[in-house]
Amino acid sequence: MKNYLLILFAIALFSCNSKPKKAKTETEKPVVKTEYTADWESLKQYKVPEWWLNTKFGIYSHWGPYSVPAHETEWYSMRMYQKDSPIRKYHEDTYGDLKEFGYKDFIPMFTAEKFDADEWAKLFKDAGAQFAGPVAEHADGFAMWDSKLTKWDAKDMGPKRDIVGEMEKAVRKQGMKFIVTYHRHWLYAWYPTWDKSTDASDSRYAGLYGPYVPEGSFVMATGDYPNPPKKEFHKEWLNRLNELMDNYQPDIIWFDNKMDIIEESYRKQFLANYYNKAQDWGREVVCTYKFHDLAEGTAVLDLERSRMKEKKEFPWLTDDSIDWKAWCDISDPKYKSTNRLIDFLVDVVSKNGAVLLNVTPQADGVIPEGVKTRLLEMGQWLKANGEAIYDTRPWKVYGEGPQEIKEGHLSEDKNKDAVAEDIRFSTKDGNLYAIALDWPKDKMMIHSLAKKENLLIKEIKKVSMLTTGEELKWELTKNGLSVELPKEKPGDFAFAIKIEL
Protein backbone atom coordinates (compact mmCIF):
# COMPACT_ATOMS: atom_id res chain seq x y z
CA MET A 1 0.00 0.00 0.00
CA LYS A 2 2.85 2.33 0.90
CA ASN A 3 4.60 1.68 -2.44
CA TYR A 4 1.32 2.23 -4.31
CA LEU A 5 0.88 5.65 -2.66
CA LEU A 6 4.47 6.61 -3.54
CA ILE A 7 3.86 5.72 -7.20
CA LEU A 8 0.68 7.84 -7.28
CA PHE A 9 2.55 10.75 -5.69
CA ALA A 10 5.35 10.52 -8.29
CA ILE A 11 2.85 10.49 -11.17
CA ALA A 12 1.06 13.53 -9.76
CA LEU A 13 4.34 15.41 -9.28
CA PHE A 14 5.46 14.62 -12.84
CA SER A 15 2.10 15.81 -14.20
CA CYS A 16 2.36 19.12 -12.35
CA ASN A 17 5.88 19.82 -13.60
CA SER A 18 5.24 18.78 -17.19
CA LYS A 19 4.44 21.62 -19.62
CA PRO A 20 1.56 20.86 -21.92
CA LYS A 21 2.39 20.97 -25.60
CA LYS A 22 1.23 24.16 -27.24
CA ALA A 23 -1.43 23.43 -29.80
CA LYS A 24 -0.58 24.72 -33.25
CA THR A 25 -2.94 27.35 -34.57
CA GLU A 26 -3.85 27.73 -38.21
CA THR A 27 -1.97 31.04 -38.41
CA GLU A 28 1.32 29.60 -37.17
CA LYS A 29 3.78 28.75 -39.90
CA PRO A 30 6.96 26.79 -39.32
CA VAL A 31 10.10 28.77 -40.06
CA VAL A 32 11.74 27.13 -43.03
CA LYS A 33 15.25 28.30 -43.81
CA THR A 34 16.39 28.22 -47.42
CA GLU A 35 20.09 27.55 -47.86
CA TYR A 36 21.06 29.55 -50.94
CA THR A 37 24.04 28.47 -52.99
CA ALA A 38 25.93 30.52 -55.56
CA ASP A 39 24.03 29.34 -58.62
CA TRP A 40 21.10 30.95 -60.41
CA GLU A 41 18.69 28.05 -59.94
CA SER A 42 19.16 28.15 -56.18
CA LEU A 43 18.89 31.94 -56.12
CA LYS A 44 15.61 31.82 -58.06
CA GLN A 45 14.01 30.38 -54.93
CA TYR A 46 13.97 33.96 -53.64
CA LYS A 47 10.55 35.50 -53.09
CA VAL A 48 10.01 39.25 -52.99
CA PRO A 49 8.82 40.03 -49.44
CA GLU A 50 5.33 41.34 -48.78
CA TRP A 51 6.75 44.48 -47.17
CA TRP A 52 8.39 45.39 -50.46
CA LEU A 53 5.11 44.99 -52.35
CA ASN A 54 3.63 47.52 -49.89
CA THR A 55 6.58 49.89 -50.26
CA LYS A 56 6.35 52.63 -52.88
CA PHE A 57 8.74 55.48 -52.06
CA GLY A 58 12.31 55.80 -50.85
CA ILE A 59 15.06 58.43 -50.73
CA TYR A 60 18.83 58.21 -51.04
CA SER A 61 21.67 60.67 -51.57
CA HIS A 62 24.72 61.05 -53.75
CA TRP A 63 27.15 62.63 -51.31
CA GLY A 64 30.91 62.40 -51.14
CA PRO A 65 34.15 64.20 -52.04
CA TYR A 66 32.66 64.99 -55.48
CA SER A 67 30.24 67.28 -53.62
CA VAL A 68 33.12 69.64 -52.80
CA PRO A 69 33.66 71.08 -56.29
CA ALA A 70 29.87 70.98 -56.81
CA HIS A 71 30.44 71.42 -60.52
CA GLU A 72 28.29 69.96 -63.29
CA THR A 73 28.20 66.28 -62.30
CA GLU A 74 28.88 63.52 -59.79
CA TRP A 75 31.23 62.18 -62.49
CA TYR A 76 33.57 65.09 -61.79
CA SER A 77 36.10 62.64 -60.32
CA MET A 78 36.52 61.02 -63.73
CA ARG A 79 36.03 63.93 -66.09
CA MET A 80 38.53 66.15 -64.29
CA TYR A 81 41.20 63.82 -65.73
CA GLN A 82 39.86 63.59 -69.29
CA LYS A 83 41.85 65.50 -71.87
CA ASP A 84 39.88 68.15 -73.79
CA SER A 85 37.08 67.97 -71.18
CA PRO A 86 35.57 71.33 -70.08
CA ILE A 87 35.60 69.92 -66.54
CA ARG A 88 39.35 69.33 -66.73
CA LYS A 89 39.87 72.93 -67.83
CA TYR A 90 37.63 74.12 -64.99
CA HIS A 91 39.56 72.00 -62.51
CA GLU A 92 42.99 73.17 -63.62
CA ASP A 93 41.85 76.80 -63.70
CA THR A 94 40.32 76.50 -60.21
CA TYR A 95 42.56 74.04 -58.33
CA GLY A 96 45.75 73.71 -60.34
CA ASP A 97 47.74 71.01 -62.11
CA LEU A 98 46.47 67.42 -61.81
CA LYS A 99 49.87 66.19 -60.69
CA GLU A 100 49.64 68.52 -57.69
CA PHE A 101 45.89 68.61 -56.98
CA GLY A 102 44.05 65.41 -57.85
CA TYR A 103 40.74 63.97 -56.72
CA LYS A 104 42.35 62.72 -53.48
CA ASP A 105 42.87 66.34 -52.45
CA PHE A 106 39.13 66.98 -52.24
CA ILE A 107 38.86 64.45 -49.41
CA PRO A 108 40.30 66.70 -46.65
CA MET A 109 37.89 69.41 -47.86
CA PHE A 110 34.94 67.04 -47.45
CA THR A 111 34.49 67.67 -43.72
CA ALA A 112 30.68 67.32 -43.50
CA GLU A 113 30.73 69.65 -40.51
CA LYS A 114 26.96 70.30 -40.59
CA PHE A 115 25.85 66.73 -41.28
CA ASP A 116 23.13 65.52 -38.92
CA ALA A 117 21.89 62.01 -39.68
CA ASP A 118 18.82 62.40 -37.47
CA GLU A 119 17.87 65.62 -39.22
CA TRP A 120 18.18 63.97 -42.62
CA ALA A 121 16.18 60.91 -41.57
CA LYS A 122 13.39 63.04 -40.11
CA LEU A 123 13.19 65.06 -43.32
CA PHE A 124 12.98 61.87 -45.39
CA LYS A 125 10.28 60.51 -43.10
CA ASP A 126 8.37 63.80 -43.31
CA ALA A 127 8.64 63.50 -47.10
CA GLY A 128 6.68 60.24 -46.90
CA ALA A 129 9.59 57.89 -47.56
CA GLN A 130 9.36 54.30 -46.40
CA PHE A 131 13.06 53.52 -46.90
CA ALA A 132 16.18 55.65 -47.03
CA GLY A 133 19.96 55.55 -46.91
CA PRO A 134 23.22 56.71 -48.47
CA VAL A 135 25.36 55.90 -51.46
CA ALA A 136 27.79 53.66 -49.60
CA GLU A 137 30.46 53.87 -52.29
CA HIS A 138 30.30 55.69 -55.60
CA ALA A 139 32.47 55.10 -58.67
CA ASP A 140 35.12 57.35 -57.09
CA GLY A 141 36.23 54.51 -54.78
CA PHE A 142 35.76 56.39 -51.49
CA ALA A 143 33.92 54.27 -48.92
CA MET A 144 31.39 56.17 -46.79
CA TRP A 145 31.59 53.71 -43.88
CA ASP A 146 34.10 52.64 -41.26
CA SER A 147 36.01 50.04 -43.26
CA LYS A 148 38.79 47.78 -42.11
CA LEU A 149 39.60 46.99 -45.75
CA THR A 150 40.82 50.45 -46.75
CA LYS A 151 42.04 53.70 -45.25
CA TRP A 152 40.23 55.60 -48.02
CA ASP A 153 36.99 55.85 -46.10
CA ALA A 154 34.89 58.48 -44.34
CA LYS A 155 35.89 57.30 -40.87
CA ASP A 156 39.63 57.61 -41.47
CA MET A 157 39.56 60.65 -43.76
CA GLY A 158 37.43 63.66 -44.61
CA PRO A 159 34.48 63.73 -42.18
CA LYS A 160 36.18 61.15 -39.94
CA ARG A 161 32.72 59.76 -39.24
CA ASP A 162 30.95 56.52 -40.11
CA ILE A 163 28.35 58.07 -42.43
CA VAL A 164 26.67 54.76 -43.32
CA GLY A 165 26.53 53.74 -39.65
CA GLU A 166 25.04 57.04 -38.52
CA MET A 167 22.44 56.93 -41.28
CA GLU A 168 21.54 53.32 -40.48
CA LYS A 169 20.73 54.19 -36.88
CA ALA A 170 18.85 57.37 -37.77
CA VAL A 171 16.79 55.75 -40.54
CA ARG A 172 15.75 52.81 -38.38
CA LYS A 173 14.89 55.20 -35.53
CA GLN A 174 12.33 56.78 -37.86
CA GLY A 175 10.78 53.38 -38.60
CA MET A 176 12.02 53.22 -42.19
CA LYS A 177 13.82 50.40 -43.95
CA PHE A 178 17.53 50.96 -44.57
CA ILE A 179 19.05 50.98 -48.06
CA VAL A 180 22.67 51.20 -49.16
CA THR A 181 23.72 51.67 -52.77
CA TYR A 182 26.94 50.31 -54.24
CA HIS A 183 28.70 51.47 -57.42
CA ARG A 184 32.25 50.18 -56.90
CA HIS A 185 32.31 48.12 -60.12
CA TRP A 186 32.50 51.44 -62.03
CA LEU A 187 35.86 52.16 -60.35
CA TYR A 188 37.71 49.85 -62.71
CA ALA A 189 39.55 52.15 -65.18
CA TRP A 190 37.59 55.14 -63.82
CA TYR A 191 40.85 57.01 -63.20
CA PRO A 192 43.75 57.20 -65.72
CA THR A 193 46.16 55.09 -63.68
CA TRP A 194 48.27 54.77 -66.84
CA ASP A 195 48.77 58.57 -67.15
CA LYS A 196 52.10 59.62 -65.61
CA SER A 197 51.16 63.29 -65.89
CA THR A 198 48.53 62.98 -63.13
CA ASP A 199 48.48 61.78 -59.53
CA ALA A 200 46.25 58.85 -60.54
CA SER A 201 49.34 56.93 -61.65
CA ASP A 202 51.06 57.26 -58.27
CA SER A 203 51.10 53.84 -56.57
CA ARG A 204 50.76 55.53 -53.16
CA TYR A 205 47.15 56.31 -54.04
CA ALA A 206 46.21 52.97 -55.61
CA GLY A 207 43.90 52.27 -52.66
CA LEU A 208 41.68 55.08 -53.95
CA TYR A 209 42.33 55.19 -57.69
CA GLY A 210 42.37 51.44 -58.24
CA PRO A 211 44.80 49.13 -60.01
CA TYR A 212 46.92 50.07 -63.02
CA VAL A 213 45.02 49.65 -66.28
CA PRO A 214 46.17 50.31 -69.85
CA GLU A 215 44.83 53.36 -71.65
CA GLY A 216 41.49 52.71 -73.35
CA SER A 217 40.22 50.22 -70.76
CA PHE A 218 37.25 52.31 -69.63
CA VAL A 219 34.00 51.72 -71.50
CA MET A 220 30.36 52.22 -70.61
CA ALA A 221 28.07 49.30 -69.69
CA THR A 222 28.44 47.41 -72.96
CA GLY A 223 28.89 43.85 -71.73
CA ASP A 224 32.19 43.72 -73.66
CA TYR A 225 35.07 45.02 -71.55
CA PRO A 226 38.64 45.27 -72.90
CA ASN A 227 41.29 44.39 -70.35
CA PRO A 228 38.76 43.09 -67.77
CA PRO A 229 39.60 43.26 -64.05
CA LYS A 230 41.89 40.73 -62.44
CA LYS A 231 40.82 38.44 -59.62
CA GLU A 232 41.92 40.89 -56.90
CA PHE A 233 39.41 43.51 -58.06
CA HIS A 234 36.51 41.02 -57.96
CA LYS A 235 37.53 39.83 -54.48
CA GLU A 236 37.74 43.39 -53.16
CA TRP A 237 34.30 44.13 -54.65
CA LEU A 238 32.80 41.18 -52.79
CA ASN A 239 34.74 41.70 -49.55
CA ARG A 240 33.50 45.27 -49.20
CA LEU A 241 29.93 44.10 -49.71
CA ASN A 242 30.36 41.42 -47.06
CA GLU A 243 31.66 44.08 -44.66
CA LEU A 244 28.70 46.36 -45.40
CA MET A 245 26.31 43.49 -44.74
CA ASP A 246 28.00 42.38 -41.53
CA ASN A 247 28.25 45.91 -40.12
CA TYR A 248 24.84 47.36 -41.05
CA GLN A 249 22.45 44.54 -42.06
CA PRO A 250 20.77 46.61 -44.81
CA ASP A 251 17.17 45.80 -45.74
CA ILE A 252 17.88 46.78 -49.36
CA ILE A 253 21.09 46.68 -51.38
CA TRP A 254 20.91 48.59 -54.64
CA PHE A 255 23.40 48.26 -57.48
CA ASP A 256 24.25 50.61 -60.29
CA ASN A 257 24.55 49.11 -63.75
CA LYS A 258 27.78 47.76 -65.23
CA MET A 259 27.84 45.09 -62.50
CA ASP A 260 28.45 42.59 -65.30
CA ILE A 261 32.11 43.70 -65.36
CA ILE A 262 32.36 41.61 -62.19
CA GLU A 263 32.78 37.90 -62.86
CA GLU A 264 29.48 36.06 -62.60
CA SER A 265 30.70 33.75 -59.84
CA TYR A 266 31.28 36.73 -57.53
CA ARG A 267 27.87 38.23 -58.29
CA LYS A 268 26.20 34.92 -57.49
CA GLN A 269 28.25 34.52 -54.33
CA PHE A 270 27.25 37.99 -53.13
CA LEU A 271 23.56 37.24 -53.61
CA ALA A 272 23.81 33.89 -51.82
CA ASN A 273 25.69 35.58 -48.96
CA TYR A 274 23.08 38.33 -48.66
CA TYR A 275 20.06 36.05 -48.67
CA ASN A 276 21.66 33.60 -46.23
CA LYS A 277 22.83 36.34 -43.87
CA ALA A 278 19.38 37.95 -43.93
CA GLN A 279 17.84 34.74 -42.63
CA ASP A 280 20.34 34.76 -39.77
CA TRP A 281 19.30 38.38 -39.04
CA GLY A 282 15.63 37.35 -39.08
CA ARG A 283 14.93 39.74 -41.96
CA GLU A 284 13.43 39.58 -45.41
CA VAL A 285 15.56 41.65 -47.75
CA VAL A 286 15.58 43.10 -51.26
CA CYS A 287 18.39 43.37 -53.78
CA THR A 288 18.05 45.38 -57.00
CA TYR A 289 19.86 45.16 -60.33
CA LYS A 290 19.83 46.83 -63.74
CA PHE A 291 19.68 45.40 -67.24
CA HIS A 292 20.81 41.74 -67.05
CA ASP A 293 23.39 42.08 -64.27
CA LEU A 294 21.59 39.42 -62.19
CA ALA A 295 19.38 36.59 -63.40
CA GLU A 296 15.68 37.35 -63.76
CA GLY A 297 13.74 36.13 -60.74
CA THR A 298 16.66 36.39 -58.30
CA ALA A 299 16.18 40.06 -57.35
CA VAL A 300 14.17 43.21 -58.21
CA LEU A 301 14.67 44.95 -61.55
CA ASP A 302 15.58 48.64 -61.33
CA LEU A 303 15.41 51.32 -64.04
CA GLU A 304 17.34 54.60 -64.16
CA ARG A 305 15.72 57.95 -64.99
CA SER A 306 12.94 56.05 -66.73
CA ARG A 307 9.69 54.17 -66.19
CA MET A 308 7.50 51.49 -67.69
CA LYS A 309 4.98 52.32 -70.39
CA GLU A 310 2.51 49.68 -69.18
CA LYS A 311 1.65 47.86 -65.96
CA LYS A 312 3.90 44.92 -65.13
CA GLU A 313 2.97 41.73 -63.31
CA PHE A 314 6.25 41.81 -61.39
CA PRO A 315 7.30 44.49 -58.87
CA TRP A 316 9.98 46.87 -60.11
CA LEU A 317 11.86 49.99 -59.02
CA THR A 318 13.01 53.15 -60.72
CA ASP A 319 15.62 55.58 -59.45
CA ASP A 320 15.78 59.22 -60.48
CA SER A 321 17.30 62.42 -59.18
CA ILE A 322 15.46 65.47 -57.87
CA ASP A 323 17.76 67.48 -60.17
CA TRP A 324 17.29 67.16 -63.94
CA LYS A 325 21.00 67.85 -64.48
CA ALA A 326 22.96 65.93 -61.85
CA TRP A 327 22.90 63.37 -59.03
CA CYS A 328 24.99 65.44 -56.63
CA ASP A 329 24.86 69.03 -55.45
CA ILE A 330 26.00 71.47 -58.14
CA SER A 331 26.20 75.24 -58.24
CA ASP A 332 23.38 75.66 -60.78
CA PRO A 333 20.80 72.91 -60.16
CA LYS A 334 17.60 72.46 -62.14
CA TYR A 335 15.23 70.89 -59.64
CA LYS A 336 12.14 69.09 -60.83
CA SER A 337 8.84 70.61 -59.76
CA THR A 338 6.92 68.99 -56.92
CA ASN A 339 4.08 68.44 -59.37
CA ARG A 340 6.35 66.44 -61.67
CA LEU A 341 7.75 64.38 -58.78
CA ILE A 342 4.28 63.46 -57.49
CA ASP A 343 2.88 62.64 -60.93
CA PHE A 344 5.92 60.43 -61.56
CA LEU A 345 5.34 58.56 -58.29
CA VAL A 346 1.63 58.06 -59.00
CA ASP A 347 2.28 56.78 -62.51
CA VAL A 348 4.99 54.36 -61.37
CA VAL A 349 2.85 52.98 -58.52
CA SER A 350 -0.08 52.39 -60.90
CA LYS A 351 2.21 50.12 -62.95
CA ASN A 352 3.42 48.00 -60.01
CA GLY A 353 6.58 50.01 -59.43
CA ALA A 354 8.25 51.99 -56.65
CA VAL A 355 10.35 55.15 -56.74
CA LEU A 356 13.81 55.72 -55.25
CA LEU A 357 14.40 59.48 -55.33
CA ASN A 358 17.95 60.81 -55.14
CA VAL A 359 18.58 64.05 -53.24
CA THR A 360 21.66 66.26 -53.35
CA PRO A 361 23.22 67.39 -50.03
CA GLN A 362 25.90 70.06 -50.02
CA ALA A 363 29.46 69.09 -49.09
CA ASP A 364 29.00 70.45 -45.55
CA GLY A 365 25.96 68.18 -44.98
CA VAL A 366 23.24 70.81 -45.47
CA ILE A 367 20.35 69.78 -47.69
CA PRO A 368 19.52 72.73 -50.01
CA GLU A 369 16.30 74.62 -49.38
CA GLY A 370 15.03 73.86 -52.88
CA VAL A 371 15.32 70.15 -52.13
CA LYS A 372 13.76 70.46 -48.68
CA THR A 373 10.77 72.39 -50.01
CA ARG A 374 9.98 69.76 -52.61
CA LEU A 375 10.38 66.88 -50.17
CA LEU A 376 8.08 68.46 -47.61
CA GLU A 377 5.46 69.23 -50.26
CA MET A 378 5.60 65.60 -51.35
CA GLY A 379 5.16 64.59 -47.72
CA GLN A 380 2.12 66.82 -47.29
CA TRP A 381 0.55 65.29 -50.40
CA LEU A 382 1.29 61.76 -49.24
CA LYS A 383 -0.09 62.49 -45.78
CA ALA A 384 -3.40 63.45 -47.39
CA ASN A 385 -3.41 60.92 -50.24
CA GLY A 386 -1.17 58.10 -49.06
CA GLU A 387 -4.12 55.74 -48.75
CA ALA A 388 -4.09 55.58 -52.56
CA ILE A 389 -0.34 54.88 -52.66
CA TYR A 390 0.96 52.89 -49.68
CA ASP A 391 0.12 49.16 -49.43
CA THR A 392 -1.79 49.33 -52.72
CA ARG A 393 -1.73 46.99 -55.69
CA PRO A 394 -2.22 47.75 -59.38
CA TRP A 395 -5.74 47.59 -60.75
CA LYS A 396 -6.84 45.71 -63.87
CA VAL A 397 -5.68 48.65 -65.99
CA TYR A 398 -3.02 51.13 -64.84
CA GLY A 399 -4.84 54.21 -66.09
CA GLU A 400 -6.03 56.25 -69.01
CA GLY A 401 -5.32 59.54 -70.77
CA PRO A 402 -3.20 61.06 -73.54
CA GLN A 403 0.22 60.90 -71.87
CA GLU A 404 2.59 58.66 -73.81
CA ILE A 405 5.59 57.31 -71.91
CA LYS A 406 8.89 56.78 -73.67
CA GLU A 407 10.68 53.75 -72.28
CA GLY A 408 14.41 53.16 -72.13
CA HIS A 409 17.49 53.95 -70.06
CA LEU A 410 17.75 57.68 -69.17
CA SER A 411 14.56 58.49 -71.09
CA GLU A 412 12.61 60.46 -68.46
CA ASP A 413 13.38 63.85 -69.98
CA LYS A 414 11.53 62.74 -73.13
CA ASN A 415 8.23 62.44 -71.22
CA LYS A 416 5.90 65.43 -71.22
CA ASP A 417 4.00 66.59 -68.16
CA ALA A 418 0.65 64.93 -67.50
CA VAL A 419 -2.73 66.65 -67.91
CA ALA A 420 -6.11 66.39 -66.15
CA GLU A 421 -7.31 63.63 -68.48
CA ASP A 422 -4.40 61.47 -67.34
CA ILE A 423 -5.85 59.29 -64.57
CA ARG A 424 -4.05 56.51 -62.73
CA PHE A 425 -5.55 53.69 -60.68
CA SER A 426 -4.63 51.72 -57.57
CA THR A 427 -6.58 49.38 -55.36
CA LYS A 428 -6.63 48.29 -51.72
CA ASP A 429 -9.12 46.53 -49.41
CA GLY A 430 -11.63 46.19 -52.22
CA ASN A 431 -11.63 49.92 -52.97
CA LEU A 432 -10.53 51.58 -56.19
CA TYR A 433 -8.57 54.83 -56.24
CA ALA A 434 -8.57 57.10 -59.29
CA ILE A 435 -5.94 59.85 -59.29
CA ALA A 436 -6.19 62.71 -61.80
CA LEU A 437 -2.74 64.12 -62.49
CA ASP A 438 -4.14 67.64 -62.85
CA TRP A 439 -7.36 69.36 -61.76
CA PRO A 440 -10.24 68.73 -64.20
CA LYS A 441 -11.91 71.95 -65.34
CA ASP A 442 -15.38 70.48 -65.06
CA LYS A 443 -16.33 66.98 -63.99
CA MET A 444 -13.92 64.10 -63.64
CA MET A 445 -14.76 61.58 -66.36
CA ILE A 446 -13.27 58.11 -65.94
CA HIS A 447 -13.69 56.35 -69.28
CA SER A 448 -12.33 53.02 -68.03
CA LEU A 449 -15.51 52.69 -65.94
CA ALA A 450 -17.95 53.17 -68.83
CA LYS A 451 -21.08 50.99 -68.65
CA LYS A 452 -19.91 48.89 -71.57
CA GLU A 453 -16.76 48.12 -69.56
CA ASN A 454 -18.63 47.49 -66.32
CA LEU A 455 -17.19 44.01 -66.02
CA LEU A 456 -14.16 45.81 -64.57
CA ILE A 457 -16.06 46.84 -61.44
CA LYS A 458 -18.72 45.66 -59.05
CA GLU A 459 -21.51 47.91 -57.91
CA ILE A 460 -20.32 51.36 -56.79
CA LYS A 461 -21.40 52.17 -53.24
CA LYS A 462 -19.79 55.54 -52.66
CA VAL A 463 -17.40 58.04 -54.24
CA SER A 464 -15.47 60.56 -52.13
CA MET A 465 -12.61 63.04 -52.34
CA LEU A 466 -9.73 61.29 -50.62
CA THR A 467 -8.11 64.43 -49.24
CA THR A 468 -11.23 65.72 -47.48
CA GLY A 469 -13.49 62.69 -47.21
CA GLU A 470 -16.27 64.73 -48.86
CA GLU A 471 -18.84 62.51 -50.55
CA LEU A 472 -19.19 63.29 -54.26
CA LYS A 473 -22.09 63.00 -56.66
CA TRP A 474 -21.51 60.56 -59.49
CA GLU A 475 -23.20 58.94 -62.46
CA LEU A 476 -22.27 55.82 -64.38
CA THR A 477 -22.87 56.44 -68.08
CA LYS A 478 -21.98 54.78 -71.34
CA ASN A 479 -19.05 57.20 -71.63
CA GLY A 480 -17.67 56.51 -68.16
CA LEU A 481 -18.00 57.36 -64.50
CA SER A 482 -18.82 61.06 -64.24
CA VAL A 483 -17.84 62.56 -60.88
CA GLU A 484 -18.85 66.04 -59.74
CA LEU A 485 -15.85 67.52 -57.97
CA PRO A 486 -15.75 70.21 -55.24
CA LYS A 487 -15.90 73.80 -56.47
CA GLU A 488 -12.49 74.52 -54.97
CA LYS A 489 -9.64 72.15 -55.61
CA PRO A 490 -8.33 70.52 -52.41
CA GLY A 491 -4.62 71.00 -52.95
CA ASP A 492 -2.11 71.85 -55.63
CA PHE A 493 -1.06 68.45 -56.97
CA ALA A 494 -2.57 65.15 -58.17
CA PHE A 495 -6.18 64.65 -57.03
CA ALA A 496 -7.41 61.29 -55.74
CA ILE A 497 -10.94 60.02 -55.39
CA LYS A 498 -11.92 56.89 -53.52
CA ILE A 499 -14.47 54.57 -55.15
CA GLU A 500 -15.94 52.15 -52.66
CA LEU A 501 -17.16 48.97 -54.33
Side-chain angles (χ1 to χ4, degrees), residues 40 256-260 267 289-295:
W40 293 130
D256 201 359
N257 63 349
K258 203 180 176 178
M259 189 167 41
D260 61 344
R267 286 178 271 151
Y289 70 101
K290 294 183 177 178
F291 301 128
H292 303 287
D293 290 350
L294 298 176

Side-chain angles (χ1 to χ4, degrees), residues 75 78-79 82 139 183-192 194 213-229 256-262 291:
W75 278 36
M78 175 212 259
R79 291 180 180 163
Q82 290 180 330
H183 314 235
R184 182 173 176 81
H185 30 285
W186 278 93
L187 174 68
Y188 187 73
W190 183 261
Y191 298 101
W194 48 266
V213 294
E215 185 175 2
S217 296
F218 180 84
V219 293
M220 299 299 284
T222 62
D224 182 19
Y225 303 107
N227 305 312
D256 201 359
N257 63 349
K258 203 180 176 178
M259 189 167 41
D260 61 344
I261 199 172
I262 300 297
F291 301 128

Side-chain angles (χ1 to χ4, degrees), residues 158-186:
K160 297 191 175 175
R161 295 166 67 176
D162 182 354
I163 302 299
V164 173
E166 289 185 40
M167 283 302 301
E168 187 261 337
K169 290 181 177 62
V171 165
R172 294 200 193 282
K173 194 188 300 181
Q174 290 291 337
M176 295 181 287
K177 299 287 187 181
F178 182 60
I179 183 173
V180 293
T181 79
Y182 193 68
H183 314 235
R184 182 173 176 81
H185 30 285
W186 278 93

Side-chain angles (χ1 to χ4, degrees), residues 284-303:
E284 293 181 298
V285 296
V286 169
C287 177
T288 75
Y289 70 101
K290 294 183 177 178
F291 301 128
H292 303 287
D293 290 350
L294 298 176
E296 185 178 337
T298 63
V300 172
L301 179 66
D302 174 52
L303 312 180

